[in-house]
């Protein structure tokens, strides 16, 4: 009996253990973490060890990205957070191939029974039906228009968008309906959609935030291995701005004692590239992100790992992260206040707004339903 037949007869839990064990036996070029620790909802954890079998010393294959598909019943997610300037968002993808080690969205993969570590950046889920589901939701009689945010959890312009084009199709639906949209991204693929975005911007329906974590290309490659280099992101700002699209440079996240000395330089570079607004957020380490980030610091910056974590704990009442509203984005205490003051002085000197004029909602018109079959879901 082959291994495949044996696995068919063991419980799903142990099949998952087997697959997780195999999942670790790969080379990991361009990945943000080497850990695939089980998520917080899993009853067991697994550690791969050399067992002395022949072949343990052979070169390992490269871990490749896997994409599966989901058919969503709805795509607009609503929130009531007072920390956020929007009450609704869309995620075309679950997981993100950019592999940013610090990504606060990593814990969301645990809800899928996957690891917030390597699984988050290698086992991705695309939602190809999202544009048609969005069309149905916007056409519902009860729908009340307000700006939709895209890219607040996982990046809509991560590499797999090149093949799946879900984000572009979403934009086509939003543009048809004259619906305002705010986009956050690190991906240069956004330049592909400048034709749609510039047209929407001319109608007061679009703005873009580009995250620039550091200007140091080497540090960027270590922290965010599959993200365009800082210089390339500044070029994105320049090209979007030249097309008439309002762009915000986002100095996010600020890593204390590592990237925070660059705050003013990042804002200056963004302004010089054409950004008209700016924002910042402190490093956030919710749930499984904290051990991943601490492992990364111990590997790449052991000389300052202790100092970085000490600063974070100072800002969160002795904890590595405080999820309470009004504190989770910036932290509290002297160090957080110093960063905030530096930001205020810099944006004032550079003429960068922190608030842009509101996008237009008065132009909205419900789109036509593309398929009668989707009406089965109801309004």
């Amino acid at each position: 009996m082959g291994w495949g037949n044996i696995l068919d007869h063991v419980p799903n839990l142990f099949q998952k253990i087997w697959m997780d064990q195999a999942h670790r036996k790969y080379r990991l070029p361009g990945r943000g973490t080497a850990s695939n620790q089980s998520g917080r909802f899993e009853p067991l954890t697994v550690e791969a060890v050399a067992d002395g079998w022949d072949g343990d010393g052979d070169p390992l294959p490269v871990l490749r990205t896997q994409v599966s598909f989901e058919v969503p019943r709805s795509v607009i997610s609503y929130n009531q957070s007072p920390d956020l300037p929007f009450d609704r968002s869309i995620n075309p993808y679950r997981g993100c191939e950019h592999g940013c080690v610090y990504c606060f969205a990593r814990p969301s993969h645990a809800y899928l029974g996957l690891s917030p570590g390597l699984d988050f950046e290698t086992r991705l889920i695309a939602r190809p039906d999202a544009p048609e589901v969005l069309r149905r939701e916007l056409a519902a009689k009860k729908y009340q228009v307000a700006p939709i945010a895209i890219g607040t959890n996982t990046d809509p312009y991560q590499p797999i968008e090149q093949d799946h084009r879900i984000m572009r199709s979403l934009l086509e639906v939003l543009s048809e309906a004259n619906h305002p949209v705010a986009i956050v991204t690190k991906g240069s693929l956004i330049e592909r959609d400048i034709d749609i975005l510039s047209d929407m911007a001319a109608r007061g329906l679009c703005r873009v935030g580009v995250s620039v974590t550091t200007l140091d290309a080497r540090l960027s490659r270590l922290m965010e291995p599959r993200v365009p280099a800082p210089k390339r992101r500044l070029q994105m700002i320049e090209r979007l701005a030249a097309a008439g699209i309002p762009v915000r440079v986002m100095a996010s996240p600020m890593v204390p004692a590592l990237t925070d000395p660059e705050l003013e330089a990042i804002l200056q570079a963004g302004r010089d590239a054409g950004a008209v607004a700016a924002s910042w957020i402190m490093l956030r380490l919710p749930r499984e992100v904290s051990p991943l980030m601490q492992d990364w610091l111990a590997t790449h910056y052991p000389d300052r790992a202790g100092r970085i974590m000490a600063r974070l704990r100072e800002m969160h009442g002795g904890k590595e992260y405080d999820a309470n509203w009004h504190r989770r984005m910036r932290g509290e205490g002297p160090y957080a206040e110093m960063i905030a003051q530096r930001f205020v002085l810099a944006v004032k000197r550079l003429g960068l707004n922190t608030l842009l004029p509101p996008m237009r909602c008065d132009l909205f018109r419900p789109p036509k339903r593309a398929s009668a079959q989707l009406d089965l879901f109801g309004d």
Side-chain angles (χ1 to χ4, degrees), residues 72-76 129-143 173 366-379:
R73 290 182 60 85
S74 63
V75 296
I76 302 177
D129 292 334
E132 293 308 320
V133 177
L134 173 63
R135 180 182 295 275
R136 170 179 60 81
E137 291 183 277
L138 297 184
K141 293 180 180 179
K142 64 182 180 181
Y143 182 75
V173 174
K368 296 180 180 178
R369 294 181 186 264
S371 169
Q373 185 176 5
L374 286 175
D375 288 343
L376 296 175
F377 288 100
D379 292 343

Side-chain angles (χ1 to χ4, degrees), residues 37-60:
Q37 185 72 28
S38 300
R40 60 192 177 279
F41 302 118
E42 305 306 308
L44 297 177
T45 60
V46 182
E47 181 178 356
V49 296
D51 54 16
W53 283 24
D54 291 339
D56 279 346
D58 293 346
L60 298 176

Side-chain angles (χ1 to χ4, degrees), residues 263 267 280 339-349 354:
L263 175 60
L267 298 176
W280 75 281
I339 301 297
Q341 290 172 8
R342 286 171 54 196
F343 175 82
V344 169
L345 292 174
V347 296
K348 182 178 180 180
R349 173 174 57 83
T354 55

Side-chain angles (χ1 to χ4, degrees), residues 22-276:
H23 190 64
R24 296 178 179 221
K25 296 183 178 180
Y26 293 91
R27 288 187 290 122
L28 306 172
R31 300 301 180 182
T33 178
S35 169
N36 210 38
Q37 185 72 28
S38 300
R40 60 192 177 279
F41 302 118
E42 305 306 308
L44 297 177
T45 60
V46 182
E47 181 178 356
V49 296
D51 54 16
W53 283 24
D54 291 339
D56 279 346
D58 293 346
L60 298 176
V62 173
L63 179 60
R64 303 296 182 186
T65 301
Q66 304 173 45
V67 182
S68 56
F69 301 94
E70 172 187 280
V71 179
R73 290 182 60 85
S74 63
V75 296
I76 302 177
S77 299
Y78 293 88
N79 77 83
Q80 297 180 334
S81 171
D83 290 330
L84 301 176
F86 56 88
D87 72 347
R88 64 199 69 186
S89 61
I90 296 175
N91 289 296
Y93 303 99
R94 299 187 190 275
C96 187
E97 195 175 4
H98 280 158
C100 303
V101 66
Y102 53 73
C103 182
F104 67 84
R106 284 180 176 272
S108 63
H109 238 46
Y111 291 106
L112 306 176
L114 298 173
S115 170
L118 278 172
D119 283 350
F120 178 79
E121 49 192 289
T122 63
R123 299 178 66 178
L124 311 180
I125 297 173
R127 311 171 84 190
D129 292 334
E132 293 308 320
V133 177
L134 173 63
R135 180 182 295 275
R136 170 179 60 81
E137 291 183 277
L138 297 184
K141 293 180 180 179
K142 64 182 180 181
Y143 182 75
Q144 298 293 318
V145 62
I148 289 177
I150 306 182
T152 58
N153 196 54
T154 59
D155 201 314
Y157 288 107
Q158 59 181 285
I160 60 172
E161 167 65 13
Q162 179 73 47
D163 296 324
H164 297 284
R165 300 174 67 86
I166 300 172
M167 180 59 178
R168 183 170 179 87
S169 296
L170 288 169
L171 289 177
E172 289 170 346
V173 174
L174 293 170
S175 180
E176 176 190 335
N178 284 324
H179 196 293
V181 61
I183 301 167
V184 175
T185 186
K186 298 184 181 80
S188 58
L189 190 56
I190 192 174
E191 294 174 359
R192 178 202 63 190
D193 294 340
I194 280 179
D195 58 334
I196 301 177
L197 297 173
S198 60
D199 180 62
M200 294 185 72
R203 287 177 274 157
L205 299 173
C206 173
R207 65 182 53 155
V208 174
V210 176
S211 175
V212 182
T213 312
T214 175
L215 298 177
D216 183 331
R218 178 183 176 276
L219 174 56
S220 174
R221 185 59 59 210
L222 292 174
M223 281 200 306
E224 12 181 66
R226 300 201 174 199
V227 176
K231 184 177 180 180
R232 182 68 180 88
R233 275 177 270 173
L234 293 173
Q235 188 178 57
M236 288 162 48
I237 294 176
E238 183 177 359
R239 291 178 177 176
L240 291 166
I245 302 163
V247 184
R248 176 187 304 275
V249 57
M250 305 173 67
S252 305
M254 284 279 99
V255 183
L258 185 62
T259 67
D260 69 338
E262 298 185 70
L263 175 60
E264 290 82 359
I266 291 171
L267 298 176
Q268 177 80 58
R271 196 284 305 270
D272 292 347
V276 295

Side-chain angles (χ1 to χ4, degrees), residues 323-337:
N324 287 317
W325 286 338
H326 307 298
R327 293 198 293 271
R328 58 181 181 156
M329 301 289 193
R330 303 282 175 83
E332 293 182 309
Y335 199 83
E337 292 173 6

